[in-house]
């Protein structure tokens, strides 16, 4: 069972790997949303599906992927591509790339059970799809959310709103509409929470030039591929 402290401790360990040059490629670090995620995942069950993003370390840990396995995957250069069939967990580094896949899984769950809507038992699997406020500006998300809402699919899109896309704040991206409610926020399948991220986009936020990727780590990654 994870706590905010164990999540922070894990990510701090990954930061130390990054600072030491032990990673073969860029990483995206979780942080600042421990309380919100612990609340969300208190309702996520082992047989539910979770779709995540390039920033997936906390999601993976809370879905039950062992910390040592996750760390090994990150060290092998697969930080943005964590998946586990055993845990019904899939990620993608493509912006909004999992939204339509997640909607498709929700659709298949309903049709494989041949039970939908209010007739579907509470014990049936549910799909959770995480995305950022940058990804919600993508058409893939709109298509998936519209399809899910109109078909009453067992899926929740959770927008992790940190008011930035890469390093561009929402105010610059959306201009006079930066503080207005997004069109799909009234959907029952869409939830949003706001948080202040611990780390900047991509990496540990260390001074420029302070990290050099280890040659040996890069060689290991190439040998595996």
């Amino acid at each position: 069972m994870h706590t905010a402290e164990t999540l922070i401790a894990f990510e701090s360990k990954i930061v130390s790997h990054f600072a030491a040059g032990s990673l073969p490629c860029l990483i995206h670090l979780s942080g600042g949303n421990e309380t919100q995620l612990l609340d969300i995942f208190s309702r996520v069950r082992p047989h539910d599906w979770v779709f995540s993003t390039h920033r997936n370390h906390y999601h993976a840990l809370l879905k039950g992927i062992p910390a040592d396995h996750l760390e090994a995957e990150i060290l092998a250069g697969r930080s943005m591509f964590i998946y586990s069939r055993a845990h019904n967990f899939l990620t993608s580094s493509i912006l909004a790339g999992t939204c339509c896949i997640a909607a498709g899984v929700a659709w298949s769950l309903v049709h494989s059970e041949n039970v939908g809507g209010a007739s579907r038992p509470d014990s049936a699997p549910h799909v959770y799809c995480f995305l950022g406020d940058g990804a919600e500006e993508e058409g893939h998300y709109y298509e998936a959310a519209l399809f899910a809402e109109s078909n009453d699919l067992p899926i929740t899109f959770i927008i992790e709103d940190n008011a930035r896309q890469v390093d561009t704040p929402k105010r610059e991206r959306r201009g006079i509409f930066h503080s207005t409610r997004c069109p799909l926020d009234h959907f029952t399948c869409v939830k949003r929470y706001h948080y202040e991220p611990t780390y900047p986009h991509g990496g540990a936020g260390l001074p420029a030039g302070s990290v050099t990727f280890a040659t040996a780590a890069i060689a290991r990654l190439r040998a595996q591929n």
Side-chain angles (χ1 to χ4, degrees), residues 137-184:
E137 298 172 0
E138 298 293 313
H140 294 304
Y141 161 65
Y142 273 74
E143 293 171 359
L146 285 168
F147 181 76
E149 187 78 2
S150 61
N151 288 280
D152 194 22
L153 298 183
I155 183 172
T156 303
F157 295 94
I158 300 174
I159 300 170
E160 302 182 303
D161 193 335
N162 58 23
R164 73 180 190 199
Q165 184 180 41
V166 186
D167 292 319
T168 306
K170 193 184 293 184
R171 182 182 295 272
E172 291 184 23
R173 302 191 328 259
R174 302 185 185 177
I176 62 173
F177 297 107
H178 76 275
S179 61
T180 60
R181 193 180 186 197
C182 289
L184 304 189

Side-chain angles (χ1 to χ4, degrees), residues 33 38 48 106 108 122 191:
N33 56 346
L38 285 167
D48 289 334
S108 71
D122 292 339
K191 305 297 180 185

Side-chain angles (χ1 to χ4, degrees), residues 2 12 19-20 29 32-33 39 44 51 86 89 92 97-98 102 114 116 121 142 154 158-159 173 190 199 207-208:
H2 282 285
S12 296
L29 295 162
N33 56 346
D39 177 60
V44 177
F51 290 83
F89 186 82
S92 174
T98 60
N114 202 27
Y142 273 74
I158 300 174
I159 300 170
R173 302 191 328 259
V190 175
Y199 301 101

Side-chain angles (χ1 to χ4, degrees), residues 5-210:
E5 290 73 23
T6 62
L7 294 174
I8 292 170
F10 177 87
E11 207 67 337
S12 296
K13 189 176 183 181
I14 302 305
V15 170
S16 68
H17 286 314
F18 185 76
S22 302
L23 303 180
C25 54
L26 185 69
I27 55 173
H28 296 275
L29 295 162
S30 304
N33 56 346
E34 294 84 8
T35 300
Q36 296 94 326
L37 286 179
L38 285 167
D39 177 60
I40 292 168
F41 275 87
S42 69
R43 299 182 290 276
V44 177
R45 302 156 302 178
H47 63 289
D48 289 334
W49 287 78
V50 170
F51 290 83
S52 184
T53 68
H54 55 282
R55 188 178 295 104
N56 57 59
H57 300 169
Y58 279 179
H59 300 154
L61 291 170
L62 290 169
K63 191 59 173 73
I65 294 178
D68 56 350
H69 174 76
L70 179 60
E71 182 181 0
E73 290 291 283
I74 295 169
L75 286 169
R78 293 188 283 272
S79 173
M80 291 184 277
F81 315 103
I82 304 300
Y83 73 93
S84 172
R85 181 63 185 87
H87 295 88
N88 289 348
F89 186 82
L90 178 70
T91 69
S92 174
S93 61
I94 299 173
L95 197 63
T98 60
C99 293
C100 291
I101 301 172
V105 169
W107 171 270
S108 71
L109 289 174
V110 169
H111 284 266
S112 63
E113 299 158 357
N114 202 27
V115 178
S119 302
R120 199 166 184 267
D122 292 339
S123 59
H126 192 81
V127 178
Y128 296 87
C129 183
F130 291 86
L131 64 151
D133 59 279
E136 73 170 322
E137 298 172 0
E138 298 293 313
H140 294 304
Y141 161 65
Y142 273 74
E143 293 171 359
L146 285 168
F147 181 76
E149 187 78 2
S150 61
N151 288 280
D152 194 22
L153 298 183
I155 183 172
T156 303
F157 295 94
I158 300 174
I159 300 170
E160 302 182 303
D161 193 335
N162 58 23
R164 73 180 190 199
Q165 184 180 41
V166 186
D167 292 319
T168 306
K170 193 184 293 184
R171 182 182 295 272
E172 291 184 23
R173 302 191 328 259
R174 302 185 185 177
I176 62 173
F177 297 107
H178 76 275
S179 61
T180 60
R181 193 180 186 197
C182 289
L184 304 189
D185 276 5
H186 67 283
F187 281 8
T188 57
C189 68
V190 175
K191 305 297 180 185
R192 178 189 303 271
Y193 73 84
H194 300 266
Y195 77 104
E196 184 68 30
T198 302
Y199 301 101
H201 181 86
L206 298 172
S210 64

